[in-house]
């Protein structure tokens, strides 16, 4: 439903059109009658000046252009290069003045008019900017199109977009036609890519820029555009593209700003500040640069500096909505949504129709729990721009959320799929209330407002609610402060949903304590740490892979840990970032005490920087880093110390050669990798008896390992195939004590217990299974039977009622069992269930007898009615 690219086609096919569509069709119709124009070449001196500009030698280009104009050069290209150089150097008033003169001499130059719109805006002359934009449109729609160059077509297309024309029409019929006329029209590629970025169609944008790279590999604007297309999906490719842009032009301001933004995301504020200073050195009044300097000031708790930098950003254009939009967006990305929303509102005061601020404000309000305002704002954006994919997705999500069931226990607003709410909603409530009680008390937080929790059965709904776009498959849950969004449990991805919600509520506590002013690594680290404190099988443990990373000097310095979450080389590295963050928290608590951690959080809430807060309450940061490395290395070395961890090369131990492991084991008898490979080879050959030996040895040497294909799981398979059920059970029970998400073990243990009629054991592991996947009908039947046999009637009734919601294969049996359990405590409900059983199975004799028994007891309790003798029996009773 939430397609990243299909919105272009959806909007056009559904008849979305603005009032100016006739302008494009006029152009398209005229194109059909005209011959394709030829390509024009610039004179050599202009080419030289253009190369200076492309390389970032703006001052040289400006002098060159001014000299050429003084010497009588007539081409409008000299005026364009001169004004673009002035703008690049921050001389916005000079650029506007020279534009006035240039337009007197070239009143119908479409490219000059397009540049004039930008030049006048940058100088704060909005009315003049609107005037030249309308003039450009008049020129473009009134000109003999046989003489319109592809670059002029691009200028016309951009003007049409600014005036609200259909984006798809402009893309196909204007930018596309420009490329048909001249496949080497750089402006057309850039314009098409920019349009795709504006509509959040990052795949299409990347495609356009890649095509441009094939022809213009040395143009910094192309590399920069490609970098923007990768910003939300692949930071490594983004940085590579930015490096390429800055190699060509070290002073490319947009590339420098995007790289600075990346470092802000990584919490490397020093490097971000250095990059911004590079821009200020050649353009002292670059608006976006000052906007990001304002962001840095806010993040440093320097509110006065933030205000001053914002005013610098607004020096030439005092009502530039983009300045406040950028500041607010970045603060919101740092989870400071209230501050971010305030900036978006200010941007909308400057320009009430500025859509980027509107959609960002919609997201801010939704993440603050102000749903009504957020949904209304998203719908406004969708109504104004049917091609805005983020708004389109949010409007569809709102309609889906309207079907959810809302639970309102004290302190919470919980939204779930109606079926899931009926099956395990009460368990969600219980878990969240326990987390609130224990974690708020532990950290000294008093929550005075409700926490919103939304559980999505559809992963794409979760992604749109959380990120605004589809994707995010690796995330189970996200917390924004007082709003938690999470995926519902999925059978194909075994994960303990109770651990996940406990983790996310940990974020509620720490983010509220610090007023969302904390680095990501610390918030994640505390949440994983608190998982382990609540249940040792939750959270993350040292693994063979983590051991190798710690001892292989792959620990990220504490000050840079947030960056490890942003652009990890692999999913394994992302998980390692969570583990290392939790290990840092464990180290701080163990070495300096829990109160030091609370003090750090308090200082962060007051605006202190993380490194200063840590040093203040523990030790100098350099010393903390050194001690932590020692702590982490010891943890790694202490893991299975008798195991041989040497990892052989593929040439030494080929996984495809079963005999290779045998040879390697002769020299490396305790080697983890060789033992595992040897055992798997034996299992593959169905040599169950021999496989037990290496598997038992793996367990003996490393009893805490519960990763994928762990020895417990494999050994249980061997026992099962040998018919050794008792030993299989013993092995799986050991595994269940060290892992919280081994659904296969829980399911098999319940099955064995049911066969043995060991009802207590069936309940024990059934409850563990529910914490991984609560929507399995068979599991609720097993729990109902176990509770029923143990005389736990109330619990049995609950299990059977949940089972009925899941469309069981034998509803007659389930209703009959409910009727028996409710016979003495709630005869009316018991009668309803026995009638339902008979509706499913009219010849169900036991149900007929039970119904007569219930009716008889009810009649005895109430006495005969006056017309009792003449009253006909119900249809089910007549069947007797």
């Amino acid at each position: 439903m939430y397609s990243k690219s299909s919105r272009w086609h959806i909007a056009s096919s559904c008849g979305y059109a603005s009032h100016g569509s006739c302008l494009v069709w006029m152009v398209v119709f005229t194109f059909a009658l005209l011959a394709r124009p030829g390509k024009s070449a610039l004179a050599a001196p202009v080419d030289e000046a253009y190369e200076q500009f492309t390389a970032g030698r703006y001052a040289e280009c400006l002098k060159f252009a001014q000299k050429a104009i003084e010497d009588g050069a007539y081409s409008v290209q000299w005026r364009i290069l001169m004004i673009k150089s002035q703008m690049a150097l921050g001389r916005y008033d000079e650029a506007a003045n020279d534009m006035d003169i240039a337009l007197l001499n070239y009143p119908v130059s479409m490219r000059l008019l397009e540049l004039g719109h930008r030049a006048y805006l940058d100088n704060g002359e909005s009315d003049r900017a609107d005037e030249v934009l309308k003039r450009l449109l008049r020129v473009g729609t009134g000109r003999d199109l046989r003489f319109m160059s592809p670059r002029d077509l691009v200028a016309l297309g951009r003007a049409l977009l600014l005036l609200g024309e259909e984006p798809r029409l402009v893309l196909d019929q204007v930018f596309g036609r420009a490329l048909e006329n001249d496949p080497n029209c750089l402006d057309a590629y850039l314009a098409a890519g920019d349009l795709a970025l504006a509509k959040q169609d990052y795949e299409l944008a990347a495609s356009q820029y890649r095509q441009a790279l094939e022809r213009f590999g040395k143009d910094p604007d192309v590399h920069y555009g490609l970098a923007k297309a990768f910003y939300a999906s692949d930071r490594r490719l983004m940085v590579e593209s930015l490096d390429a842009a800055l190699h060509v032009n070290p002073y490319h301001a947009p590339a420098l700003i995007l790289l600075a933004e990346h470092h802000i995301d990584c919490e490397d504020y020093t490097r971000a500040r250095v990059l911004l200073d590079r821009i200020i050195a050649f353009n002292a009044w670059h608006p976006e640069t000052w906007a990001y300097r304002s962001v840095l000031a806010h993040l440093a708790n320097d509110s006065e500096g933030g205000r001053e930098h914002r005013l610098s950003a607004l020096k030439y254009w005092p009502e530039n909505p983009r300045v406040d939009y950028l500041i607010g967006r970045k603060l919101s990305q740092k989870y400071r949504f209230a501050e971010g929303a305030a900036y978006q509102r200010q941007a909308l005061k400057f320009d009430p129709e500025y859509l980027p601020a509107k959609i960002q404000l919609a997201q801010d309000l939704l993440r603050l729990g102000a749903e009504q305002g957020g949904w209304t704002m998203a719908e406004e954006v969708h109504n104004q721009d049917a091609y805005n994919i983020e708004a389109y997705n949010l409007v569809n999500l709102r309609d889906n959320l309207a079907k959810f069931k809302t639970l309102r226990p004290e302190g919470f607003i919980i939204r779930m799929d109606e079926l899931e709410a009926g099956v395990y909603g009460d368990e969600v409530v219980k878990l969240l209330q326990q987390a609130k009680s224990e974690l708020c008390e532990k950290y000294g937080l008093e929550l005075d407002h409700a926490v919103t929790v939304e559980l999505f059965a559809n992963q794409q709904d979760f992604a749109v609610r959380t990120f605004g776009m589809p994707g995010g498959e690796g995330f189970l849950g996200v917390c924004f402060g007082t709003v938690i969004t999470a995926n519902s449990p999925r059978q194909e991805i075994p994960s303990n949903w109770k651990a996940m919600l406990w983790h996310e509520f940990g974020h509620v506590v720490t983010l509220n304590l610090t007023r969302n002013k904390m680095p990501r690594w610390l918030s994640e680290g505390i949440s994983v740490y608190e998982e382990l404190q609540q249940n040792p099988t939750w959270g993350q443990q040292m693994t063979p892979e983590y051991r190798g990373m710690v001892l292989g000097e792959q620990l990220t310095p504490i000050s840079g840990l947030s960056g490890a979450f942003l652009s990890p080389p692999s999913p394994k590295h992302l998980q390692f970032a969570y583990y290392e963050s939790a290990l840092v928290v464990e180290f701080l608590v163990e070495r300096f005490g829990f109160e030091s951690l609370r003090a750090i959080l308090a200082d962060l809430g007051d605006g202190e920087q993380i490194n200063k807060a840590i040093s203040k309450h523990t030790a100098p940061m350099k010393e903390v880093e050194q001690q932590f490395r020692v702590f982490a290395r010891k943890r790694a070395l202490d893991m299975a110390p008798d195991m041989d961890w040497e990892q052989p090369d593929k040439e030494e131990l080929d996984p495809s050669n079963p005999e290779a492991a045998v040879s390697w084991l002769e020299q490396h008898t305790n080697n983890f990798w060789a033992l595992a490979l040897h055992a798997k080879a034996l299992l593959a050959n169905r040599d169950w008896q021999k496989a037990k030996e290496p598997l038992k040895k793996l367990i003996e040497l490393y009893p805490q390992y519960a990763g994928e294909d762990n020895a417990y799981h494999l050994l249980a398979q061997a026992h099962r195939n040998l018919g050794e059920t008792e030993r299989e059970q013993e092995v799986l029970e050991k595994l269940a004590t060290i892992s919280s998400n081994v659904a296969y073990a829980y399911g098999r243990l319940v099955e064995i217990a049911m066969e043995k009629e060991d009802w207590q054991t069936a309940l024990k592991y059934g409850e563990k299974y529910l914490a991984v996947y609560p929507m399995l009908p068979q599991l609720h039947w097993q729990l109902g039977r176990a509770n029923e046999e143990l005389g736990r009637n109330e619990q049995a009734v609950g299990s059977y009622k949940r089972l009925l919601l899941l469309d069981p294969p034998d509803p007659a049996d389930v209703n009959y069992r409910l009727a028996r359990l409710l016979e003495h405590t709630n005869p009316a409900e018991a009668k309803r269930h026995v009638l339902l059983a008979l509706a499913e199975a009219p010849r169900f004799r036991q149900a007929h007898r039970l119904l007569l028994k219930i009716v008889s007891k009810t009649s005895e309790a109430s006495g005969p009615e006056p017309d009792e003798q003449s009253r006909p029996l119900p249809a089910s009773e007549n069947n007797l």
Side-chain angles (χ1 to χ4, degrees):
M1 180 176 290
Y2 303 108
S3 170
K4 295 184 181 180
S5 59
S6 61
R7 281 291 298 119
W8 298 88
H9 308 287
I10 291 169
S12 58
S13 64
C14 291
Y16 295 118
S18 66
H19 61 277
S21 297
C22 59
L23 298 175
V24 171
W25 290 116
M26 183 191 309
V27 174
V28 173
F29 179 76
T30 308
F31 271 128
L33 303 177
L34 300 179
R36 172 177 167 177
K39 178 182 175 181
S40 60
L42 295 175
V46 175
D47 284 342
E48 183 180 346
Y50 180 78
E51 289 176 2
Q52 291 174 339
F53 184 87
T54 301
R57 291 149 52 195
Y58 306 124
E60 291 181 41
C61 182
L62 177 59
K63 289 181 181 179
F64 198 172
Q66 288 174 330
K67 181 67 167 60
I69 293 170
E70 290 173 4
D71 292 343
Y74 183 76
S75 171
V76 69
Q77 183 66 6
W78 288 110
R79 277 75 183 172
I80 290 174
L81 280 170
M82 176 183 70
I83 294 169
K84 287 178 70 176
S85 298
Q86 290 169 331
M87 293 166 67
L89 293 168
R91 303 178 187 179
Y92 301 113
D93 49 355
E94 293 179 23
N97 290 334
D98 283 337
M99 181 59 71
D100 288 339
I101 299 170
L103 287 176
L104 289 175
N105 295 318
Y106 306 89
V108 293
S109 168
M110 296 175 67
R111 294 181 59 218
L112 188 65
L113 287 166
E114 181 196 6
L115 180 62
H117 177 259
R118 183 75 257 164
Y120 288 130
L121 277 182
D122 285 349
N123 201 44
E125 300 179 50
S126 300
D127 292 341
R128 188 83 171 98
D130 290 343
E131 178 187 328
V132 297
L133 188 65
K134 292 174 183 176
R135 189 199 301 181
L136 192 164
L137 193 63
R138 291 195 299 271
V139 171
T141 55
R143 176 177 290 181
D144 186 339
L145 297 180
R146 289 174 299 178
F147 304 106
M148 187 179 293
S149 71
R151 298 174 80 179
D152 281 349
L153 285 173
V154 174
L156 174 61
R158 284 174 169 156
L160 289 167
L161 290 172
L162 289 170
L163 291 170
E165 190 49 83
E166 280 286 339
R168 187 77 224 184
L169 291 177
V170 174
L171 179 68
D172 290 341
Q173 306 297 343
V174 182
F175 299 154
R177 188 60 64 94
L179 286 171
E180 287 179 14
N181 291 345
D182 181 6
N184 289 316
C185 181
L186 172 61
D187 287 1
Y189 289 109
L190 294 175
D194 291 347
L195 175 56
L197 286 176
K199 305 306 175 186
Q200 302 95 38
D201 194 336
Y202 302 113
E203 292 180 6
L204 177 60
S207 174
Q208 295 289 345
Y209 293 125
R210 284 195 177 104
Q211 292 180 53
L213 274 181
E214 294 175 4
R215 299 174 184 271
F216 308 100
K218 294 184 178 180
D219 189 277
D221 290 337
V222 177
H223 290 291
Y224 165 70
L226 189 59
K228 287 192 72 176
F230 290 136
Y231 176 82
S233 61
D234 194 325
R235 289 297 179 94
R236 288 183 172 275
L237 288 178
M238 183 199 77
V239 172
E240 288 179 10
S241 296
L242 290 177
D243 287 343
L246 293 170
H247 177 74
V248 178
N249 180 356
Y251 304 101
H252 193 277
L256 290 168
I257 286 173
L258 187 57
L259 189 56
E261 184 175 1
H262 170 68
H263 287 304
I264 292 174
D265 294 339
C266 295
E267 297 176 9
D268 189 348
Y269 303 135
T270 300
R271 292 182 70 180
R273 193 171 291 106
V274 168
L275 289 166
L276 296 175
D277 288 346
R278 281 174 59 181
I279 301 173
I280 296 299
F282 64 86
N283 183 344
W285 302 108
H286 194 278
E288 293 187 14
T289 302
W290 285 107
Y292 282 106
R293 291 188 75 167
S294 178
V295 169
L296 289 175
H298 279 290
L299 296 177
N301 202 36
D302 180 7
S303 56
E304 183 59 33
R307 284 192 292 270
E308 290 178 359
H309 295 331
R310 175 180 176 273
L311 290 175
S312 295
L314 296 171
K315 177 178 173 61
Y316 282 95
W317 184 4
E319 294 185 353
N320 183 354
R322 184 164 175 79
V323 169
D324 287 312
Y325 160 71
L326 289 176
I327 297 172
R329 186 196 66 173
K330 205 74 237 167
L331 290 175
S332 293
Q333 289 174 358
K334 293 294 183 181
Y335 280 36
R336 295 165 69 161
F337 302 110
E339 296 167 76
Y343 275 101
Q344 302 309 334
R345 289 191 175 96
Q346 180 58 55
L348 291 171
K349 285 183 181 178
F350 289 156
D351 182 356
E353 303 305 314
Y354 191 63
L355 293 186
K358 276 192 175 184
I359 193 63
Q360 182 61 52
L361 180 57
Q363 290 283 25
D364 289 343
L365 293 174
L366 290 173
R367 290 161 182 168
L368 287 167
E371 285 96 348
Q372 188 57 49
W375 297 127
T376 299
M377 189 67 68
E379 187 167 22
E380 282 186 25
V381 175
H382 179 60
N383 291 337
Q384 290 180 257
D385 182 3
Y387 290 93
N388 188 294
I389 296 176
E390 190 171 357
Y392 172 82
N393 287 342
L394 285 174
V395 169
N396 277 278
L397 174 64
R398 176 198 58 190
D399 296 339
N400 290 345
L401 273 172
K403 304 170 188 174
F404 278 32
K405 183 171 183 178
T406 301
L407 310 176
R408 296 182 181 274
E410 184 178 357
F412 291 95
I413 300 171
I414 302 170
R415 297 189 181 97
M416 302 176 65
D417 172 85
E418 187 168 4
L419 174 61
E420 294 192 348
V423 173
Y424 70 103
D426 54 344
E427 290 297 312
V428 170
V429 170
K430 187 193 307 183
L431 186 282
L432 288 171
Q433 288 179 329
Q434 180 187 357
K436 179 180 179 181
S437 173
E438 295 183 18
L439 292 177
C440 286
E441 180 181 357
K442 182 174 183 178
Y443 284 86
L445 174 67
E446 291 187 14
L447 274 176
D448 56 0
H449 47 271
V451 175
T452 298
V453 180
E454 295 174 349
L455 290 166
F456 294 92
N458 184 309
Q459 193 277 335
Q460 295 297 282
D461 283 350
F462 161 76
V464 169
R465 176 67 169 97
T466 307
F467 311 111
M469 289 287 172
E473 284 80 4
F475 290 86
L476 296 176
V478 172
C479 175
F480 297 109
T482 54
V483 174
I484 294 172
T485 61
N487 280 295
S488 297
R490 285 184 282 170
Q491 191 170 10
E492 65 273 18
I493 305 177
S495 180
N496 193 296
W497 64 264
K498 290 187 175 182
M500 179 271 293
L501 283 182
W502 195 275
H503 176 105
E504 297 306 330
F505 196 85
H507 288 307
V508 171
V509 172
T510 55
L511 290 174
N512 277 274
L513 274 175
T514 61
R515 294 188 282 277
N516 287 38
K517 298 178 182 179
M518 67 184 305
R520 179 177 177 182
W521 74 261
L522 183 57
S523 187
E524 296 292 1
I526 290 175
S527 284
V528 176
Y529 171 79
E530 286 300 339
E531 284 185 69
L532 291 163
Q533 295 300 300
Q534 174 62 20
N535 187 327
T537 67
W538 291 359
Q540 292 212 39
Q541 308 286 347
M542 181 71 77
T543 67
E545 291 80 9
Y546 294 169
R547 181 185 185 278
M549 295 173 80
V550 170
L551 299 179
E553 302 300 327
Q554 293 189 52
L555 283 172
T556 302
I558 295 174
S559 57
L561 253 180
S562 289
F565 289 90
L566 191 64
S567 52
S570 70
K572 178 182 73 174
H573 285 81
L574 176 60
Q575 292 305 311
F576 182 66
Y578 281 95
Y579 175 74
E580 183 183 346
S581 299
L583 199 61
V584 172
V585 173
E586 181 184 345
F587 161 74
L588 292 175
V589 172
E590 184 177 307
R591 175 70 176 79
F592 303 102
F594 180 73
E595 289 306 314
S596 69
L597 180 62
R598 287 187 55 169
I600 290 169
L601 293 174
D603 281 3
L604 290 174
D606 292 336
E608 186 62 86
Q609 296 298 291
I610 180 61
N611 289 355
K612 291 183 179 178
I614 290 176
S615 298
K616 177 180 176 182
H617 298 287
T618 59
M621 197 62 193
K622 187 175 181 180
E623 184 179 330
V624 170
E625 294 269 16
Q626 291 173 344
Q627 291 184 15
F628 172 67
R629 281 195 293 272
V630 173
F631 178 84
R633 286 183 64 83
K634 184 178 186 304
R635 178 65 57 85
L637 292 170
D638 286 347
M639 187 189 82
D642 296 327
M643 184 73 81
D644 175 5
W645 291 107
E646 180 184 352
Q647 191 163 4
D649 297 328
K650 186 174 181 180
E651 293 75 18
E652 298 175 294
L653 188 59
D654 186 355
S656 63
N657 180 7
E659 299 301 322
V662 178
S663 301
W664 181 268
L665 279 172
E666 291 177 358
Q667 302 297 323
H668 306 80
T669 55
N670 288 352
N671 186 266
F672 176 79
W673 317 101
L675 285 167
L677 184 60
H678 182 43
K680 290 177 184 178
L682 291 170
L683 290 172
N685 289 328
R686 305 180 68 81
D687 196 342
W688 315 116
Q689 193 64 42
K690 287 185 179 180
K692 291 195 293 184
E693 182 181 348
L695 291 170
K696 287 179 178 179
K697 191 165 189 178
L698 280 169
I699 292 173
E700 178 187 350
L701 293 169
Y702 186 9
Q704 294 304 311
Y705 183 58
E708 188 176 355
D709 285 342
N710 61 80
Y712 293 102
H713 184 198
L714 300 178
L715 182 57
Q717 289 182 22
H719 285 309
R720 185 172 187 179
N721 281 282
L722 290 169
E724 300 169 348
T725 306
E726 292 290 339
R727 293 181 180 179
E728 177 194 3
Q729 182 178 4
E730 290 175 7
V731 171
L732 290 176
E733 286 180 339
K734 289 178 182 178
L735 176 59
T737 64
I738 62 173
S739 177
S740 64
N741 56 13
V742 283
Y744 58 86
Y746 302 146
R748 179 60 180 150
L749 286 168
V750 173
E751 182 182 336
I752 294 171
M754 295 293 289
E755 291 172 357
K756 293 181 175 182
E757 298 187 356
D758 182 354
W759 311 116
Q760 200 66 51
T761 298
L763 282 181
K764 175 182 177 181
Y765 293 108
E767 293 295 334
K768 286 180 176 288
Y769 202 164
L770 283 178
V772 178
Y773 187 63
M775 302 297 291
L776 200 63
Q778 175 71 7
L779 179 59
H780 290 283
W781 182 85
Q782 291 166 329
L783 289 173
R785 285 281 288 113
N787 279 311
E788 188 178 355
E789 294 294 340
L790 290 170
R792 293 159 51 96
N793 289 1
E794 184 179 349
Q795 290 84 349
V797 167
S799 294
Y800 286 139
K801 285 184 175 180
R802 285 188 280 273
L803 175 57
L804 284 176
L805 296 173
L806 295 170
D807 193 20
D810 190 358
D813 177 70
V814 179
N815 277 296
Y816 171 71
R817 290 178 181 278
L818 279 168
R820 285 198 322 179
L821 292 166
L822 294 167
E823 175 186 354
H824 301 293
T825 58
N826 193 336
E829 189 175 356
K831 181 179 178 181
R832 184 174 69 85
H833 280 291
V834 78
L835 288 171
L836 288 171
L838 289 167
E840 291 284 344
R843 298 184 180 183
F844 193 167
R845 291 184 176 275
Q846 290 173 300
H848 280 294
R849 294 189 187 100
L850 180 58
L851 178 59
L852 287 175
K853 183 179 178 183
I854 294 171
V855 170
S856 174
K857 286 185 177 180
T858 304
S859 299
E860 291 174 5
S862 60
E865 297 179 10
D867 59 347
E868 181 70 20
Q869 299 301 319
S870 62
R871 183 178 62 83
L873 292 173
S876 58
E877 295 179 37
N878 283 324
N879 287 336
L880 287 175

